[in-house]
């Protein structure tokens, strides 16, 4: 019989795929992680991982163990949650979001949440990619596309609109801009195509068939800064740009609409602290439709 504690190392290596990454997350050494994995394999009499150039991959035996290890982890998390809630309400919740809505929309609107629940602590992971719920990077995650994994509870958070923005200085020196056909003569700001984390971000061609892109970034906040600096026209969410005094909305009738989806693991949806944040975000977006859709 293997030590139950070894399963923590098994799960972390499966999620990270690399010994060094797993060791860093567990705050230990890669040799310690390897030793715990070897101990489980010896106890079970079978290999759990195969090492490739890209990292560690589960064998069929590892896949069979994974579902049981995750079930045990979930039971431990729910037990911890129940006991913690009995002692002190709420606690820490980690929210994974893309940069735009996380930094520019949620963060300035969190005061009411903390006033209502003073025992709450929120960790906002705001990065230009999707944060994985299944790999335990966060407990709530916001996506541009609807996740389809069976282990998740998902619902639409909100629709939002994007429009064209540029600085007044850029518009003064650039070619006249009276209609959609004029857009081909302008400089554009956009994403790095081969590093896109969602096809929902491929929207430049919705406005211009062959845009002359002079600046690209994986960060929508960097794109807004580039537009402020006068580098060209950027497609930005209205909740980010419409009240920016350094930007002008170009061709106001030209917009596109996208959606945000909110998800969590099924077993965590019963958590009091998670539901507090979950419901707050849904109610916030419902109340802020004017900012998100900005007709």
């Amino acid at each position: 019989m293997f030590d139950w504690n070894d399963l923590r190392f098994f799960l972390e290596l499966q999620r990270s795929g690399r010994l060094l990454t797993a060791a860093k997350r567990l705050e230990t050494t890669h040799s310690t992680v390897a030793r715990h994995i070897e101990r489980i394999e010896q106890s079970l009499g079978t290999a759990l991982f195969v090492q490739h150039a890209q990292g560690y991959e589960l064998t069929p035996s590892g896949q069979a163990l994974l579902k049981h290890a995750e079930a045990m982890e979930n039971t431990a998390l729910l037990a911890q949650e129940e006991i913690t809630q009995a002692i002190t309400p709420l606690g820490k919740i980690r929210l994974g979001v893309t940069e735009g809505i996380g930094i520019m929309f949620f963060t300035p609107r969190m005061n009411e949440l903390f006033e209502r629940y003073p025992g709450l602590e929120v960790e906002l992971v705001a990065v230009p990619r999707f944060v994985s719920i299944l790999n335990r990077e966060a407990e709530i995650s916001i996506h541009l596309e609807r996740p389809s994994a069976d282990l998740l509870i998902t619902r639409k958070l909100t629709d939002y609109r994007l429009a064209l923005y540029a600085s007044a200085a850029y518009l003064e020196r650039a070619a006249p801009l009276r209609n959609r056909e004029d857009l081909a003569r302008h400089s554009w700001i956009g994403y790095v195509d081969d590093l896109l984390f969602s096809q929902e971000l491929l929207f430049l061609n919705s406005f211009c068939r062959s845009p002359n892109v002079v600046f690209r970034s994986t960060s929508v906040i960097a794109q807004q800064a580039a537009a402020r600096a006068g580098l060209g026209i950027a497609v930005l969410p209205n909740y980010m740009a419409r009240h920016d005094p350094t930007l002008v909305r170009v061709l106001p009738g030209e917009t596109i609409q996208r959606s945000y989806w909110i998800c969590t693991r099924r077993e965590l949806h019963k958590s009091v602290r998670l539901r507090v944040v979950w419901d707050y975000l849904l109610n916030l977006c419902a109340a802020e439709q004017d900012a998100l859709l900005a007709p």
Side-chain angles (χ1 to χ4, degrees), residues 70-240:
E70 288 185 327
M72 292 171 64
E73 182 184 48
N74 292 337
T75 300
L77 287 171
L78 288 173
Q80 181 182 23
E81 175 79 16
E82 184 176 337
I83 294 169
T84 300
Q85 295 302 316
I87 298 171
T88 178
L90 304 178
K92 184 188 296 183
I93 193 80
R94 180 174 290 181
L95 171 62
V97 291
T98 53
E99 279 187 317
I101 195 167
I103 297 172
M104 307 300 289
F105 184 78
F106 288 149
T107 300
R109 294 169 170 83
M110 298 293 268
N111 278 344
E112 186 179 345
L113 176 64
F114 293 111
E115 288 172 0
R116 214 182 294 171
Y117 302 102
L120 182 67
E121 178 184 348
V122 173
E123 291 183 346
L124 185 76
V125 183
V127 289
R129 64 175 178 86
F130 292 140
V131 177
S132 175
I133 291 290
L134 296 178
N135 285 348
R136 311 282 183 180
E137 291 182 327
E139 291 145 300
I140 299 175
S141 184
I142 310 297
H143 293 251
L144 293 173
E145 300 164 354
R146 181 170 189 166
S148 58
D150 291 338
L151 294 174
L152 299 178
I153 287 180
T154 301
R155 64 174 292 182
K156 181 186 276 191
L157 179 62
T158 184
D159 293 323
Y160 70 103
R161 287 201 184 102
L162 305 98
L164 304 175
Y165 291 89
S167 70
Y170 168 80
L171 293 172
E172 286 174 6
R173 71 172 187 271
L177 186 49
R178 298 173 294 263
N179 51 50
R180 179 183 277 256
E181 286 68 33
D182 291 337
L183 291 171
R185 296 188 290 163
H186 283 262
S187 298
W188 286 82
I189 297 162
Y191 283 95
V192 182
D193 288 346
D194 61 330
L195 295 178
L196 284 176
F197 60 91
S198 170
Q199 296 302 301
E200 294 295 314
L201 297 175
L202 283 171
F203 37 57
L204 285 192
N205 294 106
S206 299
F207 297 99
C208 182
R209 183 174 301 175
S210 300
N212 174 33
V213 184
V214 299
F215 180 84
R216 297 180 186 270
S217 176
T218 56
S219 166
V220 68
I221 294 175
Q223 293 175 40
Q224 183 173 4
R228 286 172 177 162
L231 299 187
I233 299 172
V235 182
L236 298 171
N238 285 320
Y239 64 76
M240 286 179 58

Side-chain angles (χ1 to χ4, degrees), residues 8-22:
R8 291 194 307 119
F9 297 85
F10 167 78
L11 286 170
E12 198 55 63
L13 182 57
Q14 184 271 325
R15 289 164 183 162
S16 63
R18 296 187 180 277
L19 280 175
L20 286 174
T21 306

Side-chain angles (χ1 to χ4, degrees), residues 201-276:
L201 297 175
L202 283 171
F203 37 57
L204 285 192
N205 294 106
S206 299
F207 297 99
C208 182
R209 183 174 301 175
S210 300
N212 174 33
V213 184
V214 299
F215 180 84
R216 297 180 186 270
S217 176
T218 56
S219 166
V220 68
I221 294 175
Q223 293 175 40
Q224 183 173 4
R228 286 172 177 162
L231 299 187
I233 299 172
V235 182
L236 298 171
N238 285 320
Y239 64 76
M240 286 179 58
R242 72 175 185 145
H243 292 309
D244 187 333
T246 66
L247 294 176
V248 177
R249 185 163 169 176
V250 177
L251 301 180
E254 299 290 344
T255 66
I256 54 174
Q257 185 165 304
R258 293 290 187 268
S259 302
Y260 286 118
W261 299 84
I262 185 170
C263 68
T264 187
R265 292 178 70 98
R266 288 189 178 278
E267 73 276 5
L268 294 179
H269 197 246
K270 302 173 184 177
S271 161
V272 175
R273 60 191 171 85
L274 185 141
R275 288 305 300 268
V276 161

